[in-house]
Amino acid sequence: MLRRSPANSVRTPRTASFVPVIQREIERMIGTGELTSGTRINESTLALRLGISRGPVREACRALEQIGLLRSELNRGFFVREVSTKEALDLYDIRAGLFGTAGRLAAAIVTTVQLRDLEELIARMDAAIEAPDIATFYQLNNEFHRHVVVASDNAKLIELYPLLEAELHLFRRRGLVLPGSMRTSNDEHKAILDALRQSDGTGAARLLERHILAGKARFLRTLEDDSATEGRPGPLDPRNTRSKDRPSNDR
């Protein structure tokens, strides 16, 4: 992941191999709310912030458009895509089935090393909860899910997973801002890990499906709860101006 501090800006030649790194950074910024739905990607500002030229940033944006995270407008550039509630709920339902399958397959073949990696991610999420640090928890949560899918050792499932997860960056973090949501989510991770340790495919599948559907339920709650909406725009959001800051509304 790229460091955002000017003093630690990455100095990397303009090569095609740098594009995936920029892509992951933009994904992170969307997932953590620094870039919100409908926001235009300011390529010049982002390039300056990352210490690179605009070319790789533009290529990364094109790649993100292909997987549904961004959209482009002629002569206006790239924007963070807005997902309808119906699209979001459909994605949750598909993921529930996908993760149920991943859990059932993984339980039979998961390795000791993979179990240890999952346990470490859970411990780091516990630390993020205590901090509290929702941005770190969000990233670790994504890693936990990815590790479960990889543990299934199903090539097609592993290939499909990133395509579904990318669009979730547009809205999934909303469900984690509800009081107690991070703790509840990580308790579910612990139960899933126990099922995998016991090679309980049926149990792992059931717990993973419930875990994803619980996330869907939390997302639905945020639609009716103004207190769970995102905060002020991030630093690269054009709407983030001094005149619009309202400290009294910070939550």
Side-chain angles (χ1 to χ4, degrees), residues 9 30 38 41 44 65 84 97 99 116 131 148 153 155 159 182 225-226 228-229 246:
S9 294
I30 293 173
I41 304 298
S44 297
E65 182 181 25
S84 70
F99 274 98
R116 188 162 57 243
V148 170
D153 198 31
E159 179 183 349
M182 289 192 291
D225 187 352
D226 291 339
T229 57
R246 297 289 187 269

Side-chain angles (χ1 to χ4, degrees), residues 8-245:
N8 295 314
S9 294
V10 177
R11 305 283 189 236
T12 306
R14 289 177 289 178
T15 62
S17 62
F18 197 55
V19 172
V21 181
I22 304 168
Q23 182 176 334
R24 288 193 295 272
E25 175 66 0
I26 296 174
E27 289 178 350
R28 183 197 67 76
M29 294 168 70
I30 293 173
T32 58
E34 292 179 60
L35 292 171
T36 56
S37 295
T39 299
R40 184 175 69 84
I41 304 298
N42 189 321
E43 295 175 21
S44 297
T45 301
L46 184 56
L48 180 63
R49 168 176 169 173
L50 300 178
I52 57 174
S53 67
R54 289 181 59 184
V57 174
R58 191 174 300 112
E59 288 301 315
C61 288
R62 290 193 183 107
L64 291 171
E65 182 181 25
Q66 291 297 312
I67 61 174
L69 265 182
L70 303 181
R71 60 178 175 81
S72 62
E73 292 186 14
L74 187 63
N75 299 323
R76 295 196 64 204
F78 294 91
F79 296 78
V80 179
R81 196 167 74 83
E82 297 174 277
V83 174
S84 70
T85 299
K86 178 64 164 59
E87 285 180 283
L89 298 181
D90 286 349
L91 280 169
Y92 273 114
D93 290 337
I94 292 172
R95 290 177 69 245
L98 182 150
F99 274 98
T101 299
R104 177 174 54 80
L105 295 173
I109 58 174
V110 66
T111 68
T112 301
V113 172
Q114 288 171 328
L115 289 171
R116 188 162 57 243
D117 288 343
L118 290 171
E119 184 176 18
E120 180 182 345
L121 286 168
I122 288 173
R124 292 171 64 190
M125 279 186 275
D126 273 337
I129 292 168
E130 293 300 324
D133 185 348
I134 189 172
T136 297
F137 182 92
Y138 178 82
Q139 294 173 53
L140 294 171
N141 181 59
N142 290 343
E143 276 299 296
F144 181 89
H145 292 167
R146 186 182 67 81
H147 275 62
V148 170
V149 170
V150 170
S152 75
D153 198 31
N154 183 292
K156 286 299 180 182
L157 192 155
I158 293 170
E159 179 183 349
L160 178 62
Y161 171 74
L163 302 178
L164 293 176
E165 289 298 291
E167 290 185 274
L168 285 172
H169 290 312
L170 298 169
F171 58 84
R172 186 169 66 187
R173 183 174 178 266
R174 287 178 59 97
L176 295 175
V177 301
L178 291 169
S181 292
M182 289 192 291
R183 178 69 65 191
T184 298
S185 179
N186 212 29
D187 286 344
E188 293 167 0
H189 292 155
K190 293 170 185 176
I192 291 165
L193 177 58
D194 286 342
L196 292 174
R197 278 201 184 106
Q198 296 167 21
S199 300
D200 180 2
T202 300
R206 183 179 65 252
L207 289 168
L208 276 157
E209 286 187 20
R210 288 180 179 175
H211 178 59
I212 301 303
L213 293 177
K216 175 184 177 181
R218 287 192 293 269
F219 170 71
L220 285 170
R221 282 178 57 195
T222 68
L223 301 181
E224 301 175 353
D225 187 352
D226 291 339
S227 67
T229 57
E230 298 293 340
R232 292 189 308 238
L236 294 183
D237 191 323
R239 294 169 293 175
N240 186 20
T241 62
R242 291 182 182 275
S243 63
K244 291 184 179 180
D245 284 345

